[in-house]
Amino acid sequence: MKKAMAAMALAVATALALTACGSGGDTTASSGAGASGGPLNLGEFADVTSWDPSLADIGFDGPYLSAIYDPLLAVDGDGKPTPALATEWKVSDDFLKVTLTLRTGVKFSDGEKFDADAAVTSLDYLKKGARSGEAYLNVEKFVAVDDKTVEIDLTKRDDTLLYFMGLGRSYMMAPRAIADGSLAKTPVGSGPYTLGSSSVAGSEYHFDKVKNHWDAKQFPFDPLAIYPIQDGTARDNAMASGQINVNYADDTALKQAKENGWNTAAKVSGWVGLQFTDRAGEKFKPLGDEKVRQALNDAFDGSSILKSVGSGAGVATNQVFPSGMPGNLTSLNDKYKTSITKAKSLLAEAGYADGFDLHMPMSQVFQVWQPAVDQVFKDLGITVTWDDMQYMDYQKNAPTYPMFVAFISMDSNPVATVERQISNPQWYNPTPQTDKFPDVAAQVTKVLAADPKDQVKEIEKLNTLVTDKAWFSVWYQANNSYVSTSNIEITPVTGMMYPTLRQIAVKG
């Protein structure tokens, strides 16, 4: 069960998928002298998808990429942008221009200088990227104003730009490596480490610490190694034996932590439930009735499913805005009090007293939740025919069904939540249909146009509206958990399946 949940998290993360001053220095690799944090050996869930930041996945690639590359912006534990190679930034009054001030004195590991021209080269490359391009959809152009200033001109206001840049979409690459197309195999950045020659692709990656990195205090560990170990039992054994000292955790790892006095950290990462793809009932009439959608919220006992399937690691809720973050309203957590009786009554009012028939997709990854759906649907008189398929086919085909069992990644940034979960097409929500719900469309518009100081209030109104309309059937928000030895602490970030090296520190 735990392996299935972990595999699902990887699949979703792969599918989805924002002012300090300082100076740079020589980026010549050293033997590691002067490091104060000791070794850092990370037990990763997944292998690196690509060393090329334009093709890499934000979810699990963070530790790999953050070793090699410096970003323009990073994020803190709340997903708020923080300085990196960009020491400060300013957004124009009309929200159509972002001006970045760059750090000086930084070089890439091949000796090239990092400056505004190099930054624009990387940004242009990222904008064209198959995955990284999602951050720059509203960018018209990047301009090198002078050696240490970059201007980002937007076609329209974009409140998610800096968030996505900080989340992993602003890694700076050496211009020559971009030009010769070698990044995927030979990464060249200005980061705190370089990829070591003793690395074995798919098995273990070793990194050489860079001498006099401009942000050396942020990266005190030496040596650094990352071990991709998808099997949870093998990863837990590696932690117990001392091969790794940071683990992407399951129940066994959390028990190990308690027994050994290790540190644990957790934060919600994605919501679990039914994703509706035809709320207007254009292809499947029942879902077009709000009472039917509400019935499917009342019928599921999220707390019980969280306990039995999710081992209690998360928050029972009916909303998609992450627990404890802007836009989330604790008052909505029990909006739908579990009641089969009420659910049946709502279905009867909608004209479906005897339920209805439908097909839904199923793959091995989601089978842990299938019994809960079967039982609820049986109680409601709903007859479901499961169409079994492999996960990659599920990802492609599930959105063509009126509803499907989902684990969908969440974002720290509330505007990103609005756009990714409600208003903009995504693989899991190809036709948002907000145009069929004038009140929802109007509130989305208010959110995107709101003064920054008033925006969260407008988002809360939207959250209330879509939860009332049963835009989804959310059962709970699941945690990502991490275990580390007593000398290491982790700061999880909602939006990252595995934190970057900036979120891994020596415990004070």
Side-chain angles (χ1 to χ4, degrees):
M1 180 179 294
K2 303 301 184 302
K3 292 180 183 179
M5 291 180 67
M8 170 205 57
L10 170 62
V12 173
T14 301
L16 294 182
L18 213 270
T19 306
C21 296
S23 60
D26 186 347
T27 57
T28 303
S30 76
S31 62
S36 61
L40 179 61
N41 299 309
L42 302 180
E44 254 274 22
F45 180 86
D47 195 7
V48 62
T49 56
S50 178
W51 290 107
D52 182 337
S54 74
L55 302 174
D57 165 58
I58 284 178
F60 284 98
D61 281 351
Y64 301 101
L65 297 187
S66 62
I68 302 295
Y69 302 102
D70 287 320
L72 288 176
L73 302 177
V75 293
D76 64 14
D78 296 321
K80 296 178 181 178
T82 60
L85 287 179
T87 60
E88 60 184 6
W89 54 90
K90 180 180 179 181
V91 180
S92 64
D93 291 341
D94 63 2
F95 303 103
L96 297 179
K97 192 184 302 293
V98 179
T99 303
L100 306 173
T101 300
L102 305 183
R103 194 172 301 277
T104 59
V106 176
K107 290 183 179 180
F108 295 101
S109 60
D110 67 354
E112 290 184 87
K113 176 183 178 182
F114 170 75
D115 58 13
D117 286 335
V120 168
T121 297
S122 282
L123 288 168
D124 282 335
Y125 184 69
L126 291 169
K127 178 174 168 55
K128 297 174 184 176
R131 283 182 163 167
S132 58
E134 67 170 339
Y136 303 104
L137 297 177
N138 297 316
V139 171
E140 179 181 6
K141 61 181 177 179
F142 305 102
V143 179
V145 178
D146 56 39
D147 279 356
K148 63 175 184 177
T149 308
V150 169
E151 180 181 287
I152 305 175
D153 293 337
L154 302 172
T155 57
K156 66 176 183 179
R157 175 177 172 176
D158 188 341
D159 294 327
T160 65
L161 172 66
L162 298 177
Y163 166 68
F164 284 125
M165 289 177 69
L167 204 62
R169 294 307 186 200
S170 67
Y171 286 118
M172 296 288 99
M173 301 150 276
R176 281 198 294 264
I178 293 176
D180 64 24
S182 61
L183 285 168
K185 293 185 177 180
T186 310
V188 184
S190 63
Y193 302 87
T194 56
L195 185 61
S197 59
S198 61
S199 298
V200 179
S203 177
E204 55 188 79
Y205 298 92
H206 299 273
F207 300 85
D208 299 321
K209 192 170 177 60
V210 166
K211 182 180 179 181
N212 296 330
H213 183 262
W214 62 270
D215 202 12
K217 290 183 179 180
Q218 183 74 44
F219 306 97
F221 299 103
D222 189 28
L224 168 66
I226 302 177
Y227 298 89
I229 309 172
Q230 185 169 346
D231 181 79
T233 299
R235 205 168 53 250
D236 295 339
N237 289 340
M239 186 76 182
S241 70
Q243 180 188 8
I244 61 175
N245 52 17
V246 175
N247 189 3
Y248 181 74
D250 56 12
D251 275 354
T252 299
L254 294 174
K255 290 175 182 176
Q256 287 178 331
K258 188 174 182 179
E259 293 168 356
N260 290 281
W262 296 336
N263 298 318
T264 62
K267 186 166 282 189
V268 292
S269 63
W271 67 265
V272 179
L274 297 178
Q275 168 72 356
F276 301 144
T277 63
D278 188 19
R279 301 174 185 91
E282 294 179 325
K283 296 180 179 179
F284 186 69
K285 185 178 178 181
L287 275 188
D289 193 311
E290 185 174 298
K291 292 180 179 178
V292 171
R293 301 194 305 273
Q294 290 171 337
L296 292 174
N297 274 265
D298 283 317
F300 285 93
D301 186 345
S303 294
S304 294
I305 300 173
L306 171 59
K307 183 178 180 180
S308 62
V309 179
S311 301
V315 178
T317 183
N318 301 123
Q319 59 190 306
V320 296
F321 286 82
S323 177
M325 297 186 183
N328 180 279
L329 293 168
T330 55
S331 60
L332 294 177
N333 285 344
D334 58 356
K335 165 69 179 176
Y336 296 98
K337 295 179 174 64
T338 307
S339 172
I340 290 293
T341 300
K342 183 178 179 181
K344 287 181 176 180
S345 177
L346 286 169
L347 286 180
E349 291 176 26
Y352 300 100
D354 297 324
F356 47 78
D357 298 343
L358 82 161
H359 282 248
M360 290 178 63
M362 180 49 61
S363 76
Q364 184 179 5
V365 167
F366 295 91
Q367 286 174 354
V368 290
W369 294 290
Q370 189 175 350
V373 178
D374 282 335
Q375 183 60 58
V376 167
F377 281 8
K378 180 180 179 181
D379 291 342
L380 297 178
I382 298 172
T383 300
V384 59
T385 299
W386 296 104
D387 296 337
D388 293 322
M389 58 191 72
Q390 296 298 314
Y391 179 75
M392 293 311 295
D393 292 326
Y394 187 94
Q395 182 181 341
K396 178 177 65 177
N397 295 325
T400 68
Y401 289 75
M403 70 174 88
F404 61 94
V405 180
F407 180 112
I408 296 178
S409 295
M410 300 185 298
D411 285 286
S412 300
N413 180 286
V415 178
T417 300
V418 171
E419 294 185 345
R420 286 179 141 185
Q421 303 283 354
I422 300 171
S423 64
N424 289 357
Q426 304 289 334
W427 77 263
Y428 49 84
N429 188 25
T431 54
Q433 296 181 321
T434 51
D435 58 320
K436 306 299 181 182
F437 299 84
D439 49 354
V440 174
Q443 190 58 35
V444 169
T445 299
K446 287 183 179 180
V447 166
L448 300 180
D451 186 287
K453 70 180 187 327
D454 300 321
Q455 196 169 42
V456 171
K457 291 181 180 178
E458 296 298 337
I459 290 172
E460 290 174 349
K461 293 177 183 178
L462 177 62
N463 186 12
T464 301
L465 181 61
V466 297
T467 305
D468 287 345
K469 287 182 172 295
W471 207 253
F472 327 83
S473 176
V474 179
W475 307 334
Y476 63 91
Q477 295 178 4
N479 285 347
N480 264 352
S481 300
Y482 312 91
V483 165
S484 59
T485 50
S486 58
N487 63 314
I488 298 172
E489 60 182 357
I490 310 295
T491 300
V493 179
T494 298
M496 294 179 182
M497 296 302 290
Y498 204 113
T500 72
L501 296 185
R502 288 181 174 275
Q503 280 78 44
I504 302 175
V506 176
K507 186 174 177 60

